[in-house]
């Protein structure tokens, strides 16, 4: 019998162990689950593996890729869509293949985005606690009709389009900023506009573009300045799209009326861990939590049964294709 392909699966919480072990019954890989993130100090854990499987907050920088290469690891399999945490230049330079899961459920992320909007607007999280405490007063819970409002969508790819369809169902006016025009979205009534127009006219701005050099801190002081007073900003894409200092300033001055985040600039040090018994050292994050009009979830937008199953299946298919079929379907390198 030929040797089993061994994969070190970094950042393995229980849900990863459960979903990947279940889908692996079809693939029969040797899985080495490591609870720690992959970064320079933990790269050695991949010793003896053919591939590493990593997630959004693993730090696959140039040094890590060199170390993996020295250990004879052949493949980096991302179990997510974004690849901003991998040094693609270094992987290219030394010939290390990097694959990803380009789509697993745009519905999961788009629906979570909608959930943040509805919760911030109608304050479900506050109402839930009030009613449980026997407080049935309505003061402080006043919301607004989403129907008729203008929604600015930055990045109308798979998730952005799914979100646009939902918001169009609410009877909203949709403005899109993307490099590419999309006829299906135009047919729904959405308008492609400049970034400035989107900032000036939107009641709610939702980010669905990838994190790149161009989009890093795109929501900064200048951008916020151009927005409507009391704007709602939602980020379910990547934390570094937003300059946290700038949004804190915008919240303090009441320019930003609502902020919904599923991702955060410095989330690597916080998200996916139970830190409830520790002292959070990130003062900006703690400050954000003090605003009554900020709602943060810890990178859970993707987290549905359907998405998790698709993630495990595509990740293993990518690894099977590379080692068994000798082909690469979802390479990040050639994109
Ligand atoms: P996608 O590639 O289908 O769409 C991205 C869109 O952004 C494309 O239409 C592209 O043209 C556009 N774009 C690229 N650069 C842009 C720029 N500078 N300005 C405006 N638009 C730009 O990707 P997707 O599947 O829709 O995912 C979008 C993002 O959502 C991912 O990059 C990822 O960061 C994030 N994401 C988050 C979660 C989560 O759990 N919170 C899960 C999956 C994906």
């Amino acid at each position: 019998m030929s040797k089993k392909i061994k994969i070190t699966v970094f950042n393995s919480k229980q849900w990863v162990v459960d979903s990947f072990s279940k889908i692996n019954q079809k693939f029969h890989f040797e899985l080495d689950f490591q609870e720690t993130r992959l970064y320079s100090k933990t790269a050695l854990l991949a010793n003896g593996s053919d591939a590493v499987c990593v997630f959004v907050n693993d730090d696959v920088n140039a040094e890590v890729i060199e170390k993996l290469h020295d250990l004879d690891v052949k493949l980096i399999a991302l179990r997510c869509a974004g690849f901003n945490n991998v040094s693609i230049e270094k992987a290219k330079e030394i010939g290390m293949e990097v694959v990803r899961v380009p789509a697993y459920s745009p519905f999961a992320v788009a629906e979570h985005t909608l959930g943040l909007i509805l919760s911030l607007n109608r304050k479900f999280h506050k109402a839930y606690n009030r009613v449980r405490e026997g407080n049935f007063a309505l003061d402080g819970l006043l919301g607004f009709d989403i129907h008729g409002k203008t929604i600015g969508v930055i990045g109308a790819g798979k998730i952005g389009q799914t979100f646009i369809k939902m918001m169009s169902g609410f009877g909203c006016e949709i403005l899109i900023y993307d490099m590419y025009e999309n006829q299906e979205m135009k047919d729904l009534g959405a308008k492609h506009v400049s970034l400035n127009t989107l900032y000036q006219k939107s009641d709610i701005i939702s980010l669905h573009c990838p994190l790149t050099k161009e989009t890093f801190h795109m929501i900064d002081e200048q951008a916020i300045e151009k927005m409507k007073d009391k704007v709602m900003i939602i980020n379910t894409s990547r934390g570094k799209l937003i300059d946290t200092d700038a949004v804190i300033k915008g919240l303090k001055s009441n320019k930003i009326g609502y902020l919904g985040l599923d991702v955060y600039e410095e989330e690597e040090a916080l998200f996916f861990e139970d830190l409830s018994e520790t002292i959070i050292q990130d003062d900006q994050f703690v400050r954000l939590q003090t605003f009554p009009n900020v709602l943060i979830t810890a990178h859970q937008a993707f987290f549905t049964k359907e998405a998790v199953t698709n993630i495990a299946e595509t990740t293993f298919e990518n690894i099977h294709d590379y080692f068994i079929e000798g082909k690469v379907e979802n390479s990040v390198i050639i994109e």
Side-chain angles (χ1 to χ4, degrees), residues 104 157-159 178-179 208 210 215 236-238 262 299 302:
Y104 43 85
K158 291 177 285 294
I159 296 169
D178 197 303
M179 287 93 74
H208 299 287
T215 61
T236 57
S237 190
R238 283 291 180 267
D262 185 54
H299 210 136
F302 73 96

Side-chain angles (χ1 to χ4, degrees), residues 131-180:
V131 171
R132 283 174 72 95
E133 288 171 10
N135 175 358
F136 307 111
L138 294 184
D139 286 335
L141 299 182
L142 189 67
F144 59 84
D145 283 4
I146 290 180
H147 175 87
K149 296 294 181 295
T150 300
I151 316 289
V153 179
I154 301 180
K158 291 177 285 294
I159 296 169
Q161 288 175 38
T162 307
F163 174 67
I164 288 168
K165 288 179 193 161
M166 289 175 189
M167 298 321 291
S168 132
F170 273 71
C172 294
E173 188 180 341
I174 316 283
L175 303 179
I176 297 175
Y177 174 71
D178 197 303
M179 287 93 74
Y180 304 102

